[in-house]
Amino acid sequence: MESSSKPKLWTLSYLNVCVANFLMACSFNLLMPSIPLYITEHLGVPQTKTGIVLASYAIAILMIRPFSGYLVDLYSRKKILLISFICYVAIFFGYFYAVTIFVFVIVRFFHGITWGLSTVSSSTLAIDLVPSERRAEGIGYFGTFMNVAMAIGPFIAIHIYQNYSFQILLYCAIFMGILGIAAASFIKAPERPKLEREKLSFDRFFLLPAWPIFLNQLLPSFAWGTIGPFVAQYGKQINIPNAGIFFLFWAGGIIVSRIFSGRIVDKGYIHLVNTSAMGIVAIAFLGFALIHNIVAFCVSGLFIGIGFGMMFPALQTLYINMAENNQRGTANSTYLVGFDLGLALGMLVGGYISGIYSFEVLFLVASGLCFFSVLVYQTISKKLFERKRLR
């Protein structure tokens, strides 16, 4: 039950945008662990080249994200969400014809374009629907839906891939996407004042005051990028019976963290949440790389989930609180560009590191970057935010 002294958070429209985003993210993440397995086992792609295929969608996202922020600040966010979501689902059919690595990269690239536009519009809509007094909490719960999808999707994907086929996975993803479009169509977006078309400038695409935080964000985002594509292969290598169990513990950690972290941020402890989260993730990756048994595999997944579940909504809140109200889309897209650039680097570089060295070395690198991110946050990001925050 929500306190009567607080404005209502769980409206029908807010729930619909959360559900739509969950289904969209779940359908997308059915492919995250299965594509490396499929292209290495069926298309004969060497491990060092898997990162190129995986990163092609993230490169497309990086190209569209800044424009996405500008578009959702200028036009109807619901209309942009529905159009991009429909195109996103339609592109799944392209994977049925992706029988060469070149076609796979092209289909993945166009999927990234529609995914990037869909996620910026849906997350900005969610912020519009959340009372300002409960913004961090609302962002946290919205992010929970996406992050749990990023955990549950791979778990389901590994089961379907091992017991059925990659093609069955595609049909499941399409079905989830159609349900997500239905949920999005019921969103009642709040009315926004009409804005005059402003002259295009770089600050309409990137929140310039936040660039040091953006660079800081790349470090843990790189670590996140090593999870979805490589955990299944790593688990298989160290003889974990069903590597998909990692994603269940990961999801559990995210859910647990979101119960308390958003409220702590709203009470003013945003820096404590960010630095603690980065430290937790760093230690969890260290254990994940060095200890090879089912208990460590699951416990590491749990604490990686807790750390990231605390961190990303708090980082997103930094951007939102440094932006003018008419720059919410820009702030959101800047945060997401930082996330996606780190993700792309994690996938691209991760493929090379795991192919040339080992998965253990890859996860040690991820741990080291997270430890370094704590230092950068305490010495640069924290001070910058306090100087340039607007709320």
Side-chain angles (χ1 to χ4, degrees):
M1 295 294 290
E2 297 191 30
S3 171
S4 58
S5 62
K6 290 184 178 182
K8 187 177 182 181
L9 175 63
W10 291 100
T11 62
L12 185 59
S13 289
Y14 175 70
L15 182 60
N16 275 323
V17 75
C18 289
V19 169
N21 202 56
F22 169 80
L23 290 165
M24 178 169 59
C26 201
S27 65
F28 193 81
N29 285 281
L30 285 179
L31 303 187
M32 189 61 72
S34 53
I35 284 178
L37 294 170
Y38 180 75
I39 63 177
T40 53
E41 294 174 0
H42 296 277
L43 299 184
V45 177
Q47 178 64 32
T48 53
K49 300 289 179 63
T50 56
I52 297 172
V53 179
L54 294 167
S56 61
Y57 96 91
I59 292 168
I61 292 173
L62 288 171
M63 293 172 62
I64 195 64
R65 285 286 201 211
F67 298 99
S68 302
Y70 176 75
L71 290 172
V72 300
D73 278 339
L74 193 60
Y75 300 107
S76 166
R77 288 161 184 169
K78 180 180 176 179
K79 286 181 181 178
I80 292 174
L81 173 59
L82 287 172
I83 292 169
S84 57
F85 204 165
I86 290 168
C87 293
Y88 157 83
V89 173
I91 291 171
F92 273 107
F93 290 97
Y95 291 103
F96 289 106
Y97 303 97
V99 293
T100 67
I101 195 66
F102 176 74
V103 177
F104 224 106
V105 169
I106 295 299
V107 173
R108 199 78 178 136
F109 180 85
F110 281 105
H111 223 174
I113 294 287
T114 55
W115 168 259
L117 192 53
S118 300
T119 49
V120 170
S121 52
S122 63
S123 58
T124 309
L125 252 180
I127 293 169
D128 287 344
L129 293 163
V130 169
S132 59
E133 299 93 332
R134 306 186 68 175
R135 182 167 291 143
E137 186 182 357
I139 291 172
Y141 285 127
F142 176 81
T144 300
F145 279 84
M146 173 171 274
N147 294 147
V148 170
M150 294 177 80
I152 292 175
F155 176 77
I156 297 171
I158 292 171
H159 175 76
I160 294 174
Y161 181 84
Q162 291 177 343
N163 293 281
Y164 299 97
S165 68
F166 184 69
Q167 287 69 30
I168 296 296
L169 261 181
L170 294 176
Y171 284 119
C172 292
I174 291 166
F175 178 69
M176 287 181 180
I178 292 171
L179 291 179
I181 292 169
S185 66
F186 288 105
I187 297 169
K188 290 185 178 180
E191 288 193 19
R192 298 160 53 215
K194 290 187 177 180
L195 299 175
E196 293 183 13
R197 296 192 182 188
E198 299 179 18
K199 185 178 179 181
L200 288 181
S201 60
F202 188 69
D203 64 355
R204 296 307 300 164
F205 302 103
F206 188 92
L207 191 67
L208 290 173
W211 70 266
I213 292 171
F214 176 87
L215 296 176
N216 193 170
Q217 183 188 348
L218 293 179
L219 300 170
S221 295
F222 178 100
W224 178 282
T226 66
I227 297 171
F230 303 116
V231 162
Q233 291 177 299
Y234 178 52
K236 187 176 181 180
Q237 179 182 292
I238 62 175
N239 299 316
I240 301 298
N242 180 5
I245 196 170
F246 173 94
F247 297 103
L248 288 185
F249 279 86
W250 188 33
I254 291 169
I255 293 170
V256 168
S257 69
R258 294 294 168 78
I259 293 172
F260 61 86
S261 62
R263 294 179 182 180
I264 295 174
V265 169
D266 282 335
K267 289 180 179 178
Y269 298 102
I270 192 167
H271 302 308
L272 175 63
V273 169
N274 273 321
T275 52
S276 299
M278 291 171 189
I280 289 169
V281 172
I283 294 169
F285 266 111
L286 185 65
F288 192 57
L290 298 179
I291 307 172
H292 298 164
N293 59 55
I294 187 66
V295 174
F297 195 77
C298 295
V299 171
S300 296
L302 176 68
F303 281 96
I304 289 172
I306 289 173
F308 280 130
M310 293 167 61
M311 185 194 316
F312 285 128
L315 284 172
Q316 187 175 13
T317 303
L318 292 181
Y319 289 99
I320 299 299
N321 288 349
M322 293 176 70
E324 302 286 351
N325 288 334
N326 67 346
Q327 283 189 304
R328 282 182 184 173
T330 303
N332 233 13
S333 66
T334 303
Y335 159 76
L336 291 169
V337 167
F339 178 81
D340 292 323
L341 179 57
L343 188 75
L345 291 171
M347 292 176 182
L348 190 61
V349 179
Y352 282 101
I353 293 175
S354 59
I356 296 172
Y357 299 101
S358 66
F359 289 111
E360 286 87 347
V361 171
L362 173 60
F363 295 125
L364 284 173
V365 169
S367 175
L369 290 175
C370 290
F371 276 120
F372 184 55
S373 71
V374 176
L375 177 64
V376 174
Y377 190 90
Q378 284 295 324
T379 57
I380 300 173
S381 300
K382 178 179 176 180
K383 295 177 182 178
L384 174 94
F385 175 74
E386 292 302 330
R387 280 203 320 267
K388 299 193 175 183
R389 65 187 300 175
L390 299 178
R391 58 187 69 85

